[in-house]
Amino acid sequence: AQGGAPAAPAVPTPSPAFADHAGSWRDWPTASGDWGGLRTRLADAGLSIGLQVISEASQVARNGAVPDERRSTTRTLIDATAVFAFDKLTGWPGASIGVHGQWSDGDAASHATGDIQGWSNISTETDLRQVAEFWVQQTWGQRPGGAEGEPLLRLKAGKVDAGTEYDSLPAAGAFIHSSAGFSPTIYGFPTFPNPAMGVHLAVAPTSRWSATAGYMDGSGADGRQTGVTGIDPLFASRANTGKFMIGQVRYAWPRSARSEAGLVQVGAWHHSGPVARLDGGEQQGTSGMFAQGQVDLWHGADERTVTLFAQWGNADRQVSPINTHLAMGLYFAGLPWRGADGAGLYVSDVSLTADPADGHERGETAVEAVYTLQATAWCVLKGDLQYIFHPGGGDEPGHAAVADLRVIVTF
């Protein structure tokens, strides 16, 4: 859904095998270790398993959009992943299967602030108990000039979180505001908490250029909980069953003597189904575009970097409550006083369609400051402050302020 739809942090690739005795417990890549060598044996057979728990506690400190709303809340998202590589067991090169399960307690965090973008990217309206992803992937060839293992061609089919394939920036992943994950202008984007069935094709013909295109079930825009559904209605031919189509082109360049590393990507999307117009009518299909990029402004020893990034999104103002999105962020990875920590500032502004019937008379601007503390190799703490100007775009004089503490543990 669009507006207030969270974009969960990307689930990391299951950790590589390691020995329990390698370093202290704080230095292990996962809190649960190697399971007495079982994890290593499974990895040798092609099966990698990951488990991550994200918990946070928040306090709404100020709010004028929702009168008398002051509350402390907690929420948790559990991600379990398993990836099986066929080549290690069967000798079939380039083939893999992935499964991703999710559990969360829904608390609708934005109800307390009234914001439309969604200030917490793990909050959901209802509890989640779902197989969020189940896909089969086949790769072919070697990307020219790319790192070993980067494929020339990649085909991925099944239930997929579109946020893992499109409109995402590595630097923006440090923030917890939903708009940092993807532009809220994308109507019916099949991402957390409602990934959807689809087919995705990616090609990387050079070391710098790549492109990805996808065809997905778009019924999430109609209120269907695609996160708990299967293959239907991806291949349904009914006229009122919408499909979501998206394409993206990326240009990325490495660090060199002349420039720092960076990337730029642009894309377009289309939802084919009948969509409701804000004036009360209906039209067939709606489309939009997005663009984003990041560049390292500076780099130092031990991979310390200062990265600047920007996002833009555009949608049909006759259909989308959020018709324009502009955002910018700055993140310092590897702080001088703690090389493993990071800190950043993010500003996201959306323009809302002027329609007195839905109360959207102006835009909404969210400002986020985050500090990332790497407590151990497997535990991250995030201290986060957000201030939201004109939550929901209403005409109320008050603004919202939220303080949040997030703990991420990789088991």
Side-chain angles (χ1 to χ4, degrees):
Q2 181 206 39
V11 179
T13 302
S15 297
F18 63 97
D20 273 333
H21 62 271
S24 69
W25 182 46
R26 291 173 54 87
D27 298 327
W28 293 356
T30 62
S32 62
D34 196 30
W35 307 343
L38 176 60
R39 209 168 201 159
T40 297
R41 292 193 295 273
L42 291 175
D44 289 342
L47 178 61
S48 299
I49 298 174
L51 177 64
Q52 187 179 78
V53 178
I54 306 172
S55 295
E56 66 182 19
S58 60
Q59 172 68 54
V60 176
R62 174 183 176 182
N63 200 342
V66 183
D68 302 321
E69 181 63 68
R70 303 284 192 278
R71 67 170 177 171
S72 301
T73 55
T74 61
R75 61 199 63 85
T76 297
L77 172 66
I78 299 175
D79 284 295
T81 59
V83 177
F84 179 75
F86 280 84
D87 57 340
K88 292 189 175 182
L89 185 64
T90 67
W92 184 350
S96 59
I97 290 179
V99 181
H100 176 191
Q102 289 179 325
W103 179 97
S104 79
D105 49 344
D107 74 322
S110 287
H111 286 191
T113 55
D115 70 307
I116 194 171
Q117 296 184 74
W119 66 262
S120 173
N121 59 9
I122 68 169
S123 175
T124 57
E125 293 288 324
T126 59
D127 293 351
L128 287 185
R129 309 288 189 272
Q130 65 182 25
V131 177
E133 294 186 280
F134 184 86
W135 46 259
V136 177
Q137 180 172 272
Q138 177 67 57
T139 63
W140 295 272
Q142 169 65 39
R143 181 177 190 173
E148 184 178 355
E150 283 191 87
L152 170 66
L153 190 65
R154 179 172 61 90
L155 179 65
K156 192 175 186 179
K159 195 175 185 181
V160 174
D161 187 327
T164 64
E165 297 285 342
Y166 311 95
D167 196 32
S168 63
L169 286 173
F175 298 88
I176 77 170
H177 193 278
S178 291
S179 292
F182 71 94
S183 175
T185 58
I186 304 179
Y187 184 88
F189 195 44
T191 187
F192 175 85
N194 280 301
M197 297 295 297
V199 180
H200 307 266
L201 181 64
V203 60
T206 75
S207 62
R208 298 192 176 192
W209 286 99
S210 63
T212 311
Y215 176 87
M216 304 183 74
D217 168 18
S219 62
D222 303 324
R224 177 188 286 265
Q225 299 300 305
T226 57
V228 296
T229 60
I231 196 169
D232 183 72
L234 174 62
F235 300 107
S237 59
R238 300 186 299 273
N240 64 345
T241 302
K243 305 299 186 293
F244 182 83
M245 291 154 276
I246 187 169
Q248 173 181 286
V249 176
R250 170 185 286 198
Y251 179 77
W253 61 94
R255 182 178 300 148
S256 69
R258 294 183 177 182
S259 67
E260 297 289 345
L263 68 88
V264 175
Q265 54 194 24
V266 296
W269 55 269
H270 176 73
H271 192 286
S272 67
V275 294
R277 293 165 55 99
L278 295 177
D279 61 8
E282 187 177 85
Q283 70 181 51
Q284 191 68 33
T286 185
S287 304
M289 299 183 67
F290 60 88
Q292 54 187 196
Q294 70 175 57
V295 63
D296 291 344
L297 301 180
W298 171 86
H299 78 275
D302 301 324
E303 298 302 318
R304 285 181 163 91
T305 56
V306 176
T307 304
L308 177 70
F309 66 93
Q311 301 167 289
W312 171 82
N314 163 267
D316 184 352
R317 64 180 57 248
Q318 301 298 324
V319 172
S320 301
I322 301 176
N323 55 71
T324 304
H325 173 226
L326 287 170
M328 183 170 289
L330 186 70
Y331 193 76
F332 195 145
L335 297 175
W337 54 89
R338 270 184 60 93
D341 293 356
L345 183 68
Y346 176 67
V347 181
S348 178
D349 179 81
V350 294
S351 297
L352 307 174
T353 300
D355 184 354
D358 59 21
H360 295 162
E361 300 176 4
R362 55 161 61 98
E364 173 188 284
T365 303
V367 180
E368 176 184 3
V370 65
Y371 187 97
T372 303
L373 189 151
Q374 190 77 46
T376 70
W378 43 263
C379 180
V380 174
L381 305 179
K382 286 183 181 286
D384 193 87
L385 296 174
Q386 295 190 41
Y387 197 87
I388 305 166
F389 296 88
H390 303 294
D395 199 27
E396 295 82 359
H399 309 303
V402 182
D404 188 81
L405 176 63
R406 175 174 291 188
V407 181
I408 305 171
V409 178
T410 301
F411 291 93

